[in-house]
Amino acid sequence: MPTVGEVLRMERERQGRTLKEISDALNIKRQYLAALEEDRYDDIPGVVFVKGFIRNYGNCLGMDGGALVDTYKASLTGRTPQPEVRAAVPVRRGKDKKRTKHKEGKKKSRNGKWPEITIIAGVILFLLLIVWIMI
């Protein structure tokens, strides 16, 4: 039984389309599509992306993308999949957290005074307007 990647590659070749054409149509890197066709799923950043790429690639070729994803999931039994999401931002440690909390505290307290000052200034201007109109 052919793998998901082999099915996708065979259908693409049967239609006479290139990886570049599919890549441009789906806005997915050619390297990721090539990895799908060669069943190198670990080259794609996360299982969620693999499933989405398979579904979109299959649908683009006129196939049932959902069925291809189900076949992919069935092929995962016995394999340890990659985590769903990879961290893109480094985690701050120790002193950085203290500094961040300190800065946030200052911003909150400074921002907390502006609404009060604005309200007081508005009331004073309103009272001055009333006095000016009365005179």
Side-chain angles (χ1 to χ4, degrees):
M1 181 174 170
T3 65
V4 172
E6 291 170 346
V7 170
L8 290 169
R9 182 184 46 76
M10 287 188 297
E11 181 61 23
R12 178 183 58 79
E13 289 174 349
R14 188 187 69 73
Q15 293 180 13
R17 298 172 77 179
T18 65
L19 273 179
K20 180 168 177 21
E21 290 173 347
I22 303 295
S23 174
D24 292 342
L26 296 177
N27 199 23
I28 299 174
K29 289 182 178 182
R30 256 186 299 184
Q31 294 84 357
Y32 292 156
L33 296 177
L36 284 178
E37 288 186 352
E38 297 168 11
D39 298 312
R40 293 181 290 115
Y41 305 118
D42 292 337
D43 291 354
I44 299 170
V47 175
V48 172
F49 291 106
V50 173
K51 292 175 192 175
F53 291 170
I54 289 172
R55 179 178 290 110
N56 290 335
Y57 193 179
N59 290 341
C60 180
L61 294 174
M63 304 172 73
D64 183 7
L68 289 170
V69 171
D70 292 339
T71 305
Y72 163 73
K73 287 180 186 177
S75 73
L76 285 182
T77 54
R79 276 187 68 213
T80 305
Q82 288 183 307
E84 292 288 325
V85 179
R86 293 182 183 174
V89 179
V91 178
R92 295 185 178 196
R93 307 230 188 260
K95 294 178 182 178
D96 291 338
K97 287 183 181 178
K98 291 178 185 175
R99 289 182 188 157
T100 305
K101 287 180 184 176
H102 187 283
K103 287 180 184 177
E104 288 174 2
K106 282 185 176 179
K107 286 181 184 177
K108 286 181 184 176
S109 64
R110 192 175 353 164
N111 291 339
K113 295 177 185 176
W114 282 109
E116 297 166 357
I117 294 170
T118 305
I119 291 171
I120 293 169
V123 169
I124 292 171
L125 288 174
F126 181 72
L127 292 174
L128 288 173
L129 178 65
I130 290 176
V131 170
W132 182 64
I133 291 174
M134 300 288 253
I135 296 180

